[in-house]
Amino acid sequence: MRSNLLSILYILFIQFIFFYPTTDLKSQEVKSQEVNYYKDIAVIVKTHCAPCHNQEGLAPFSLLSYEDVASRSNFIGYVTKTRYMPPFKADIAFQHYKNENTLSAEEIQLIQTWISTGSAKGQKKQRKGDPVTTDIHQKNAPESINVNDYDISVGMQKAFKINELGKEEFRFFYAPLNNGASKMIKSIQFVPGNKKLVHHSRIMTDTTGSIAGIDGISESDTAVYKFQTKPLADNFLFGWVPGNDKIVFPEGTGKKLFQGSNFIFNVHYSPSPIISSDSSFIRIKFTDKPVEREVITLTLKEDNIANLPFIIKANQVATFYMRSAVLTQDISLISIMPHMHLLGRKFKAFAATPSGDVVQLINIPDWDFNWQMTYTFQNYLYLPKGSVIYAEAQYDNTIQNERNPNKQPKDVGYGWGTNDEMMNLVIYYVAYKPGDENKPL
């Protein structure tokens, strides 16, 4: 759970407060060093840290100013040197992605040198292209963390009070919009109202208006079944999990938001030791240019598994395999997102073409439940008609798995609960156009 990730970060930070001296900010302002913040470090922080470490981000503290960074310099030096941060789990030797977030050896060494020589501030040069390190709410905040980059915001009709102390909650919420005309979505972002307790969320759309009564209902309530008989306009508009902040679709494409759409949030809350509340919402930006191709969602789920039943036996390591139907058209992949829970250890996906070629999609050799994301390919990834997508996932249900939620392992099967397991693969794609494979996303 993300709360565990935040706890780890806080523990690491507290350790460094006590065991490592912090930088004397005033004394460093007048020192001239070969490596300094504005010349060397700010661009690294802006690119790799600030998108999460801002006042509205998922990270527990902001890194948008020199003072923010210098006061935590030793802590930053440790987590970057050990590659605990920035977290990026996909194997870039297997496939490359547009949103890769890894530090080079040179960048890590630069941070180490900056710290060891006193964390000098340097001089900020006022010229176009300089790293932006001011507060997120100022006009010149970088686009990647611009909280105003959306057209509409739609959220829960009222705050949800989390009363079931010590229990996981699975709730449906109906967020009305009822837009007058169909529009194409450029980007969509889910903003958790309670960052500590919102575990994940799935966003769906309804155009019938007959599902409004689902608002606030628990997933375990049998009343949910009568709503599930209604066809949804989009049963997977967007999925949010820790680390999966926002999806931005390529130029010339968009995800359709049908006329008369209303949103359904399916939210999973982590157990809470105290009574709390949540008012989550989504931000949507529409396309302002003509859309040539509609973005479609392809989802592989547990019923696509070849070696059922999907049960991870106690004290065993198990591998499951799934495959898609044969593709009936040429397609171009935009992004890919795997999903497992705490027993998950490895995940790999690839496609086999009719000619026998293998197209590598994603490999996560060390699965981290606390950090999941949508991986956007560097270029459109072409899959010809007749291709099949395959995935394999390994689960460790032994005491050797330190993330096993059961101290005494027991059989675990499918379920949405953290202590249950899942095997999902979500892909966004568009119809193929010649030359897509050479077109950057």
Side-chain angles (χ1 to χ4, degrees), residues 71-129:
S71 65
R72 298 175 174 86
S73 60
N74 286 304
F75 173 68
I76 292 169
Y78 175 76
V79 296
T80 54
K81 185 176 181 179
T82 58
R83 293 194 179 275
Y84 183 79
M85 287 284 163
F88 190 82
K89 306 305 295 184
D91 178 7
I92 59 175
F94 188 82
Q95 178 60 260
H96 282 288
Y97 307 92
K98 177 183 179 180
N99 55 339
E100 286 178 14
N101 191 17
T102 58
L103 294 178
S104 67
E106 292 76 14
E107 288 172 320
I108 292 173
Q109 183 56 52
L110 200 60
I111 293 170
Q112 294 297 313
T113 301
W114 178 63
I115 296 168
S116 65
T117 56
S119 305
K121 184 174 185 179
Q123 296 295 318
K124 183 178 180 180
K125 297 180 181 180
Q126 299 296 326
R127 63 185 182 188
K128 187 176 181 180

Side-chain angles (χ1 to χ4, degrees), residues 6 41 59 74 125 179 181 207 228 278 310 413 439:
L6 297 183
I41 304 302
N74 286 304
K125 297 180 181 180
N179 50 308
T207 55
Q228 293 179 340
D278 174 51
F310 181 56
K439 187 175 182 180

Side-chain angles (χ1 to χ4, degrees), residues 10 30 105 140 164 182 187 190 238 245 302 319-320 359 438 441:
Y10 276 123
V30 297
N140 58 347
E164 297 295 327
S182 295
S187 68
F190 178 83
F238 180 66
D245 180 36
E302 290 76 18
T319 301
F320 293 91
V359 181
N438 300 316
L441 292 173

Side-chain angles (χ1 to χ4, degrees), residues 288-410:
D288 54 6
K289 297 178 181 179
V291 170
E292 301 171 0
R293 291 180 284 178
E294 181 181 345
V295 175
I296 307 297
T297 305
L298 186 159
T299 306
L300 297 184
K301 301 180 292 185
E302 290 76 18
D303 53 6
N304 295 107
I305 293 175
N307 54 329
L308 293 170
F310 181 56
I311 298 174
I312 303 101
K313 294 287 187 180
N315 301 306
Q316 291 187 12
V317 175
T319 301
F320 293 91
Y321 306 89
M322 62 183 181
R323 53 167 288 170
S324 71
V326 177
L327 299 184
T328 58
Q329 66 175 123
D330 295 348
I331 65 173
S332 295
L333 306 190
I334 297 171
S335 63
I336 189 166
M337 176 185 159
H339 178 63
M340 300 189 290
H341 290 179
L342 295 170
L343 298 184
R345 300 305 297 156
K346 300 177 181 180
F347 196 105
K348 182 186 290 187
F350 58 92
T353 70
S355 62
D357 292 331
V358 174
V359 181
Q360 296 175 335
L361 301 181
I362 192 163
N363 179 36
I364 300 181
D366 182 18
W367 176 260
D368 188 345
F369 176 68
N370 292 312
W371 196 262
Q372 304 175 52
M373 63 184 293
T374 297
Y375 297 88
T376 302
F377 299 108
Q378 287 188 333
N379 294 359
Y380 283 111
L381 208 58
Y382 167 56
L383 294 184
K385 177 181 177 180
S387 297
V388 176
I389 296 171
Y390 295 91
E392 58 185 65
Q394 184 187 91
Y395 300 83
D396 185 347
N397 194 7
T398 70
I399 58 174
Q400 279 71 43
N401 179 4
E402 61 185 16
R403 295 170 184 158
N404 194 330
N406 302 306
K407 293 182 179 179
Q408 295 297 324
K410 61 180 183 180

